[in-house]
mmCIF file of all heavy atoms in Angstrom:
data_model
loop_
_atom_site.group_PDB
_atom_site.id
_atom_site.type_symbol
_atom_site.label_atom_id
_atom_site.label_comp_id
_atom_site.label_asym_id
_atom_site.label_seq_id
_atom_site.Cartn_x
_atom_site.Cartn_y
_atom_site.Cartn_z
ATOM 1 N N ILE W 96 -81.781 31.835 119.199
ATOM 2 C CA ILE W 96 -81.778 30.561 118.399
ATOM 3 C C ILE W 96 -80.555 30.561 117.581
ATOM 4 O O ILE W 96 -79.925 31.595 117.208
ATOM 5 C CB ILE W 96 -83.101 30.267 117.541
ATOM 6 C CG1 ILE W 96 -83.220 31.433 116.658
ATOM 7 C CG2 ILE W 96 -84.242 30.140 118.404
ATOM 8 C CD1 ILE W 96 -84.424 31.260 115.546
ATOM 9 N N ILE W 97 -80.104 29.299 117.291
ATOM 10 C CA ILE W 97 -79.059 29.047 116.297
ATOM 11 C C ILE W 97 -79.474 28.359 115.120
ATOM 12 O O ILE W 97 -79.995 27.257 115.269
ATOM 13 C CB ILE W 97 -77.884 28.285 117.188
ATOM 14 C CG1 ILE W 97 -77.401 29.115 118.298
ATOM 15 C CG2 ILE W 97 -76.729 28.076 116.261
ATOM 16 C CD1 ILE W 97 -76.416 28.453 119.163
ATOM 17 N N PRO W 98 -79.122 28.825 113.993
ATOM 18 C CA PRO W 98 -78.596 30.157 113.707
ATOM 19 C C PRO W 98 -79.629 31.278 113.857
ATOM 20 O O PRO W 98 -80.776 30.987 113.787
ATOM 21 C CB PRO W 98 -78.190 29.987 112.164
ATOM 22 C CG PRO W 98 -79.304 29.074 111.508
ATOM 23 C CD PRO W 98 -79.512 28.190 112.667
ATOM 24 N N VAL W 99 -79.021 32.365 114.122
ATOM 25 C CA VAL W 99 -79.886 33.590 114.349
ATOM 26 C C VAL W 99 -80.673 33.800 113.105
ATOM 27 O O VAL W 99 -80.141 33.826 112.060
ATOM 28 C CB VAL W 99 -78.983 34.876 114.773
ATOM 29 C CG1 VAL W 99 -79.901 36.105 114.705
ATOM 30 C CG2 VAL W 99 -78.319 34.669 116.057
ATOM 31 N N ASN W 100 -81.927 33.894 113.202
ATOM 32 C CA ASN W 100 -82.891 34.259 112.043
ATOM 33 C C ASN W 100 -83.254 35.647 111.930
ATOM 34 O O ASN W 100 -83.989 36.279 112.656
ATOM 35 C CB ASN W 100 -84.218 33.395 112.261
ATOM 36 C CG ASN W 100 -84.951 33.352 111.000
ATOM 37 O OD1 ASN W 100 -84.998 34.173 110.084
ATOM 38 N ND2 ASN W 100 -85.876 32.328 110.921
ATOM 39 N N TYR W 101 -82.422 36.327 111.075
ATOM 40 C CA TYR W 101 -82.502 37.805 110.896
ATOM 41 C C TYR W 101 -83.735 38.209 110.379
ATOM 42 O O TYR W 101 -84.275 39.268 110.592
ATOM 43 C CB TYR W 101 -81.357 38.384 110.199
ATOM 44 C CG TYR W 101 -79.979 38.178 110.896
ATOM 45 C CD1 TYR W 101 -79.072 37.257 110.545
ATOM 46 C CD2 TYR W 101 -79.827 39.006 111.980
ATOM 47 C CE1 TYR W 101 -77.972 37.052 111.213
ATOM 48 C CE2 TYR W 101 -78.590 38.782 112.778
ATOM 49 C CZ TYR W 101 -77.638 37.876 112.317
ATOM 50 O OH TYR W 101 -76.554 37.753 112.975
ATOM 51 N N ASN W 102 -84.511 37.348 109.488
ATOM 52 C CA ASN W 102 -85.785 37.684 108.945
ATOM 53 C C ASN W 102 -86.786 37.811 110.051
ATOM 54 O O ASN W 102 -87.604 38.547 110.113
ATOM 55 C CB ASN W 102 -86.150 36.642 107.853
ATOM 56 C CG ASN W 102 -87.399 37.033 107.097
ATOM 57 O OD1 ASN W 102 -87.922 38.062 107.129
ATOM 58 N ND2 ASN W 102 -87.892 35.927 106.293
ATOM 59 N N LEU W 103 -86.771 36.792 110.911
ATOM 60 C CA LEU W 103 -87.593 36.613 112.092
ATOM 61 C C LEU W 103 -87.418 37.812 113.092
ATOM 62 O O LEU W 103 -88.239 38.442 113.524
ATOM 63 C CB LEU W 103 -87.440 35.275 112.840
ATOM 64 C CG LEU W 103 -88.310 35.158 114.117
ATOM 65 C CD1 LEU W 103 -89.842 34.865 113.575
ATOM 66 C CD2 LEU W 103 -87.953 33.784 114.837
ATOM 67 N N LEU W 104 -86.229 38.243 113.277
ATOM 68 C CA LEU W 104 -85.743 39.288 114.217
ATOM 69 C C LEU W 104 -86.356 40.543 113.694
ATOM 70 O O LEU W 104 -86.960 41.279 114.376
ATOM 71 C CB LEU W 104 -84.260 39.339 114.299
ATOM 72 C CG LEU W 104 -83.743 40.564 115.039
ATOM 73 C CD1 LEU W 104 -84.215 40.539 116.465
ATOM 74 C CD2 LEU W 104 -82.116 40.589 114.841
ATOM 75 N N THR W 105 -86.099 40.793 112.265
ATOM 76 C CA THR W 105 -86.562 42.121 111.772
ATOM 77 C C THR W 105 -87.946 42.292 111.764
ATOM 78 O O THR W 105 -88.577 43.250 112.102
ATOM 79 C CB THR W 105 -86.053 42.250 110.304
ATOM 80 O OG1 THR W 105 -84.565 41.991 110.473
ATOM 81 C CG2 THR W 105 -86.159 43.607 109.687
ATOM 82 N N VAL W 106 -88.751 41.220 111.231
ATOM 83 C CA VAL W 106 -90.155 41.383 111.273
ATOM 84 C C VAL W 106 -90.744 41.611 112.724
ATOM 85 O O VAL W 106 -91.671 42.318 112.743
ATOM 86 C CB VAL W 106 -90.823 40.130 110.485
ATOM 87 C CG1 VAL W 106 -90.873 38.892 111.308
ATOM 88 C CG2 VAL W 106 -92.312 40.510 110.226
ATOM 89 N N ASN W 107 -90.181 40.923 113.676
ATOM 90 C CA ASN W 107 -90.809 41.061 114.923
ATOM 91 C C ASN W 107 -90.444 42.479 115.712
ATOM 92 O O ASN W 107 -91.207 42.918 116.431
ATOM 93 C CB ASN W 107 -90.387 39.907 115.885
ATOM 94 C CG ASN W 107 -91.166 38.741 115.541
ATOM 95 O OD1 ASN W 107 -92.324 38.687 115.764
ATOM 96 N ND2 ASN W 107 -90.662 37.719 115.091
ATOM 97 N N VAL W 108 -89.294 42.953 115.360
ATOM 98 C CA VAL W 108 -88.951 44.272 115.701
ATOM 99 C C VAL W 108 -89.931 45.291 115.207
ATOM 100 O O VAL W 108 -90.509 46.152 115.896
ATOM 101 C CB VAL W 108 -87.431 44.731 115.263
ATOM 102 C CG1 VAL W 108 -87.308 46.270 115.439
ATOM 103 C CG2 VAL W 108 -86.495 43.951 116.150
ATOM 104 N N PHE W 109 -90.385 45.144 113.942
ATOM 105 C CA PHE W 109 -91.364 46.072 113.190
ATOM 106 C C PHE W 109 -92.743 45.868 113.801
ATOM 107 O O PHE W 109 -93.476 46.810 113.997
ATOM 108 C CB PHE W 109 -91.285 45.885 111.844
ATOM 109 C CG PHE W 109 -90.111 46.803 111.056
ATOM 110 C CD1 PHE W 109 -88.843 46.272 110.886
ATOM 111 C CD2 PHE W 109 -90.409 48.170 110.845
ATOM 112 C CE1 PHE W 109 -87.893 46.943 110.379
ATOM 113 C CE2 PHE W 109 -89.359 48.988 110.354
ATOM 114 C CZ PHE W 109 -88.050 48.397 110.061
ATOM 115 N N VAL W 110 -93.024 44.547 113.965
ATOM 116 C CA VAL W 110 -94.404 44.266 114.568
ATOM 117 C C VAL W 110 -94.448 44.979 115.994
ATOM 118 O O VAL W 110 -95.481 45.706 116.334
ATOM 119 C CB VAL W 110 -94.783 42.735 114.696
ATOM 120 C CG1 VAL W 110 -95.818 42.411 115.626
ATOM 121 C CG2 VAL W 110 -94.892 42.146 113.418
ATOM 122 N N GLY W 111 -93.408 44.813 116.790
ATOM 123 C CA GLY W 111 -93.413 45.356 118.152
ATOM 124 C C GLY W 111 -93.388 46.944 118.074
ATOM 125 O O GLY W 111 -94.219 47.534 118.900
ATOM 126 N N LEU W 112 -92.664 47.492 117.078
ATOM 127 C CA LEU W 112 -92.533 48.901 117.017
ATOM 128 C C LEU W 112 -93.998 49.597 116.554
ATOM 129 O O LEU W 112 -94.350 50.541 117.035
ATOM 130 C CB LEU W 112 -91.514 49.384 116.025
ATOM 131 C CG LEU W 112 -90.099 49.251 116.511
ATOM 132 C CD1 LEU W 112 -89.107 49.559 115.480
ATOM 133 C CD2 LEU W 112 -89.877 50.145 117.805
ATOM 134 N N THR W 113 -94.689 48.889 115.635
ATOM 135 C CA THR W 113 -95.899 49.422 115.154
ATOM 136 C C THR W 113 -96.935 49.312 116.393
ATOM 137 O O THR W 113 -97.682 50.181 116.470
ATOM 138 C CB THR W 113 -96.445 48.716 113.923
ATOM 139 O OG1 THR W 113 -96.503 47.198 114.142
ATOM 140 C CG2 THR W 113 -95.579 48.964 112.694
ATOM 141 N N GLY W 114 -96.821 48.161 117.057
ATOM 142 C CA GLY W 114 -97.878 48.075 118.231
ATOM 143 C C GLY W 114 -97.646 49.173 119.278
ATOM 144 O O GLY W 114 -98.544 49.768 119.805
ATOM 145 N N ILE W 115 -96.267 49.394 119.617
ATOM 146 C CA ILE W 115 -95.846 50.237 120.695
ATOM 147 C C ILE W 115 -96.354 51.791 120.201
ATOM 148 O O ILE W 115 -96.774 52.501 120.942
ATOM 149 C CB ILE W 115 -94.413 50.259 121.028
ATOM 150 C CG1 ILE W 115 -94.052 48.885 121.658
ATOM 151 C CG2 ILE W 115 -93.834 51.370 121.737
ATOM 152 C CD1 ILE W 115 -92.609 48.555 121.800
ATOM 153 N N TYR W 116 -96.059 52.028 118.944
ATOM 154 C CA TYR W 116 -96.381 53.295 118.327
ATOM 155 C C TYR W 116 -97.804 53.489 118.491
ATOM 156 O O TYR W 116 -98.311 54.772 118.903
ATOM 157 C CB TYR W 116 -95.792 53.437 116.976
ATOM 158 C CG TYR W 116 -96.201 54.985 116.396
ATOM 159 C CD1 TYR W 116 -95.574 56.003 116.862
ATOM 160 C CD2 TYR W 116 -97.197 55.125 115.501
ATOM 161 C CE1 TYR W 116 -95.826 57.345 116.518
ATOM 162 C CE2 TYR W 116 -97.445 56.306 115.012
ATOM 163 C CZ TYR W 116 -96.821 57.486 115.482
ATOM 164 O OH TYR W 116 -97.189 58.731 114.925
ATOM 165 N N GLN W 117 -98.562 52.617 118.109
ATOM 166 C CA GLN W 117 -100.097 52.722 118.196
ATOM 167 C C GLN W 117 -100.495 53.040 119.638
ATOM 168 O O GLN W 117 -101.489 53.797 119.775
ATOM 169 C CB GLN W 117 -100.832 51.595 117.504
ATOM 170 C CG GLN W 117 -100.709 51.492 116.002
ATOM 171 C CD GLN W 117 -101.478 52.420 115.285
ATOM 172 O OE1 GLN W 117 -101.563 53.610 115.582
ATOM 173 N NE2 GLN W 117 -102.251 52.020 114.321
ATOM 174 N N LEU W 118 -99.971 52.261 120.431
ATOM 175 C CA LEU W 118 -100.348 52.448 121.934
ATOM 176 C C LEU W 118 -99.930 53.845 122.412
ATOM 177 O O LEU W 118 -100.735 54.500 123.168
ATOM 178 C CB LEU W 118 -99.686 51.475 122.874
ATOM 179 C CG LEU W 118 -100.303 49.933 122.526
ATOM 180 C CD1 LEU W 118 -99.353 48.928 123.379
ATOM 181 C CD2 LEU W 118 -101.644 49.901 123.099
ATOM 182 N N LEU W 119 -98.675 54.271 122.004
ATOM 183 C CA LEU W 119 -98.424 55.675 122.377
ATOM 184 C C LEU W 119 -99.221 56.701 121.759
ATOM 185 O O LEU W 119 -99.599 57.731 122.376
ATOM 186 C CB LEU W 119 -96.868 55.982 121.971
ATOM 187 C CG LEU W 119 -95.886 55.261 122.843
ATOM 188 C CD1 LEU W 119 -94.459 55.360 122.062
ATOM 189 C CD2 LEU W 119 -95.774 55.737 124.212
ATOM 190 N N ARG W 120 -99.609 56.439 120.551
ATOM 191 C CA ARG W 120 -100.524 57.458 119.770
ATOM 192 C C ARG W 120 -101.936 57.488 120.496
ATOM 193 O O ARG W 120 -102.451 58.606 120.600
ATOM 194 C CB ARG W 120 -100.665 56.822 118.416
ATOM 195 C CG ARG W 120 -101.273 57.746 117.387
ATOM 196 C CD ARG W 120 -101.219 57.132 115.997
ATOM 197 N NE ARG W 120 -102.401 57.535 115.334
ATOM 198 C CZ ARG W 120 -103.317 56.849 114.721
ATOM 199 N NH1 ARG W 120 -103.011 55.651 114.498
ATOM 200 N NH2 ARG W 120 -104.345 57.396 114.050
ATOM 201 N N LYS W 121 -102.483 56.349 120.949
ATOM 202 C CA LYS W 121 -103.766 56.338 121.584
ATOM 203 C C LYS W 121 -103.745 56.890 123.043
ATOM 204 O O LYS W 121 -104.602 57.765 123.393
ATOM 205 C CB LYS W 121 -104.275 54.844 121.527
ATOM 206 C CG LYS W 121 -105.769 54.843 122.113
ATOM 207 C CD LYS W 121 -106.466 53.623 121.849
ATOM 208 C CE LYS W 121 -107.835 53.727 122.220
ATOM 209 N NZ LYS W 121 -108.650 52.677 121.732
ATOM 210 N N HIS W 122 -102.730 56.412 123.739
ATOM 211 C CA HIS W 122 -102.745 56.729 125.195
ATOM 212 C C HIS W 122 -101.885 57.844 125.640
ATOM 213 O O HIS W 122 -102.046 58.339 126.784
ATOM 214 C CB HIS W 122 -102.408 55.417 125.996
ATOM 215 C CG HIS W 122 -103.460 54.441 125.831
ATOM 216 N ND1 HIS W 122 -104.785 54.528 126.189
ATOM 217 C CD2 HIS W 122 -103.428 53.302 125.028
ATOM 218 C CE1 HIS W 122 -105.432 53.322 125.912
ATOM 219 N NE2 HIS W 122 -104.630 52.633 125.164
ATOM 220 N N ALA W 123 -100.972 58.322 124.804
ATOM 221 C CA ALA W 123 -99.950 59.378 125.279
ATOM 222 C C ALA W 123 -100.065 60.558 124.336
ATOM 223 O O ALA W 123 -99.385 61.507 124.394
ATOM 224 C CB ALA W 123 -98.555 58.883 125.330
ATOM 225 N N GLY W 124 -100.876 60.410 123.238
ATOM 226 C CA GLY W 124 -101.071 61.512 122.294
ATOM 227 C C GLY W 124 -99.902 61.757 121.412
ATOM 228 O O GLY W 124 -99.758 62.798 120.820
ATOM 229 N N VAL W 125 -99.129 60.817 121.264
ATOM 230 C CA VAL W 125 -97.935 60.935 120.454
ATOM 231 C C VAL W 125 -98.319 60.782 118.960
ATOM 232 O O VAL W 125 -99.086 59.928 118.648
ATOM 233 C CB VAL W 125 -96.882 59.837 120.720
ATOM 234 C CG1 VAL W 125 -95.677 59.746 119.729
ATOM 235 C CG2 VAL W 125 -96.336 59.951 122.088
ATOM 236 N N ASP W 126 -97.863 61.724 118.110
ATOM 237 C CA ASP W 126 -98.177 61.774 116.637
ATOM 238 C C ASP W 126 -96.849 62.241 115.869
ATOM 239 O O ASP W 126 -96.822 63.342 115.442
ATOM 240 C CB ASP W 126 -99.289 62.642 116.321
ATOM 241 C CG ASP W 126 -99.814 62.464 114.924
ATOM 242 O OD1 ASP W 126 -99.589 61.587 114.196
ATOM 243 O OD2 ASP W 126 -100.621 63.441 114.404
ATOM 244 N N LEU W 127 -95.983 61.336 115.826
ATOM 245 C CA LEU W 127 -94.676 61.609 115.059
ATOM 246 C C LEU W 127 -94.842 62.042 113.680
ATOM 247 O O LEU W 127 -94.058 62.917 113.242
ATOM 248 C CB LEU W 127 -93.679 60.541 115.217
ATOM 249 C CG LEU W 127 -93.327 60.049 116.666
ATOM 250 C CD1 LEU W 127 -92.428 58.866 116.612
ATOM 251 C CD2 LEU W 127 -92.649 61.197 117.384
ATOM 252 N N PHE W 128 -95.715 61.612 113.032
ATOM 253 C CA PHE W 128 -95.801 61.822 111.615
ATOM 254 C C PHE W 128 -96.921 62.741 111.107
ATOM 255 O O PHE W 128 -97.085 62.881 109.958
ATOM 256 C CB PHE W 128 -95.868 60.424 110.793
ATOM 257 C CG PHE W 128 -94.920 59.451 111.286
ATOM 258 C CD1 PHE W 128 -95.153 58.332 111.883
ATOM 259 C CD2 PHE W 128 -93.559 59.637 110.776
ATOM 260 C CE1 PHE W 128 -94.175 57.427 112.448
ATOM 261 C CE2 PHE W 128 -92.545 58.720 111.308
ATOM 262 C CZ PHE W 128 -92.882 57.696 111.996
ATOM 263 N N GLY W 129 -97.643 63.225 112.020
ATOM 264 C CA GLY W 129 -98.752 64.117 111.667
ATOM 265 C C GLY W 129 -99.919 63.418 111.020
ATOM 266 O O GLY W 129 -100.730 63.902 110.323
ATOM 267 N N LEU W 130 -100.054 62.138 111.253
ATOM 268 C CA LEU W 130 -101.077 61.287 110.748
ATOM 269 C C LEU W 130 -102.494 61.685 111.224
ATOM 270 O O LEU W 130 -103.467 61.347 110.539
ATOM 271 C CB LEU W 130 -100.688 59.841 110.799
ATOM 272 C CG LEU W 130 -99.543 59.431 109.965
ATOM 273 C CD1 LEU W 130 -99.041 58.010 110.318
ATOM 274 C CD2 LEU W 130 -99.683 59.595 108.470
ATOM 275 N N ASP W 131 -102.491 61.947 112.478
ATOM 276 C CA ASP W 131 -103.739 62.170 113.117
ATOM 277 C C ASP W 131 -104.490 63.375 112.575
ATOM 278 O O ASP W 131 -105.712 63.441 112.364
ATOM 279 C CB ASP W 131 -103.633 62.347 114.633
ATOM 280 C CG ASP W 131 -103.366 61.052 115.428
ATOM 281 O OD1 ASP W 131 -103.624 59.953 114.760
ATOM 282 O OD2 ASP W 131 -102.855 61.047 116.455
ATOM 283 N N GLU W 132 -103.755 64.398 112.168
ATOM 284 C CA GLU W 132 -104.351 65.571 111.575
ATOM 285 C C GLU W 132 -104.803 65.281 110.175
ATOM 286 O O GLU W 132 -105.863 65.684 109.788
ATOM 287 C CB GLU W 132 -103.232 66.687 111.375
ATOM 288 C CG GLU W 132 -102.843 67.336 112.713
ATOM 289 C CD GLU W 132 -104.098 68.012 113.470
ATOM 290 O OE1 GLU W 132 -104.857 68.722 112.650
ATOM 291 O OE2 GLU W 132 -104.257 67.718 114.707
#
Side-chain angles (χ1 to χ4, degrees):
I96 57 175
I97 297 175
V99 174
N100 188 336
Y101 293 105
N102 190 13
L103 183 65
L104 173 64
T105 307
V106 73
N107 282 298
V108 166
F109 277 93
V110 167
L112 286 175
T113 55
I115 290 168
Y116 179 71
Q117 288 286 47
L118 290 169
L119 289 173
R120 194 173 146 228
K121 182 165 186 170
H122 298 288
V125 175
D126 186 20
L127 297 177
F128 306 109
L130 296 170
D131 289 337
E132 288 301 317

